[in-house]
Amino acid sequence: MLDYFDLEYAVRGDGENVMLEFVKRIENQQPLEGLEGLIIRREKTIIQDNKPFRVQNLDSLPFPKPHRYLNLDQYRRFGSPILIQTKRAAP
């Protein structure tokens, strides 16, 4: 898949914590090697393929707050239900 989409990085497993650390390391110009769950590809060669990262306690993840990203007043004004479909992962 990395080759098909010409991607340098992918995350295996639960990505919530891995993505935060990934962005912090990029911002601070720190090495990405060794980050659990991160796959790194350079020039069509996988140079790191760590085991998937797993969140041990899913209740430790913050509860989604759609009102931070959507103007829910528009839904309420027309009496519409707020239908939001989310998924944690893909097969």
Side-chain angles (χ1 to χ4, degrees), residues 66 70 72 75-76 79-86:
L70 301 172
L72 301 181
Y75 290 90
R76 292 184 184 116
S80 174
I82 300 168
L83 303 174
I84 300 173
Q85 181 179 6
T86 64

Side-chain angles (χ1 to χ4, degrees), residues 11 13-22 53-55 58 61-62 87-89:
V11 173
D14 301 330
E16 295 88 352
N17 296 331
V18 176
M19 284 303 297
L20 287 174
E21 182 63 24
F22 177 79
F53 177 81
R54 298 284 181 227
V55 173
L58 294 178
L61 297 174
K87 296 181 176 146
R88 282 199 72 246

Side-chain angles (χ1 to χ4, degrees), residues 5-84:
F5 288 109
D6 194 29
L7 301 172
E8 291 183 47
Y9 307 103
V11 173
R12 290 179 63 199
D14 301 330
E16 295 88 352
N17 296 331
V18 176
M19 284 303 297
L20 287 174
E21 182 63 24
F22 177 79
V23 171
K24 284 179 187 176
R25 289 186 184 194
I26 288 177
E27 286 178 340
N28 296 319
Q29 299 179 343
Q30 296 174 316
L32 298 172
E33 288 79 7
L35 180 56
E36 189 176 2
L38 184 66
I39 300 170
I40 302 174
R41 181 181 78 116
R42 299 274 192 268
E43 313 249 342
K44 300 191 181 273
T45 301
I46 301 294
I47 63 168
Q48 173 177 295
D49 188 2
N50 288 336
K51 65 180 182 171
F53 177 81
R54 298 284 181 227
V55 173
Q56 298 303 314
N57 178 7
L58 294 178
D59 291 333
S60 69
L61 297 174
F63 196 76
K65 298 174 184 168
H67 61 278
R68 292 179 60 192
Y69 311 103
L70 301 172
N71 182 355
L72 301 181
D73 292 336
Q74 294 179 32
Y75 290 90
R76 292 184 184 116
R77 183 170 31 153
F78 296 104
S80 174
I82 300 168
L83 303 174
I84 300 173

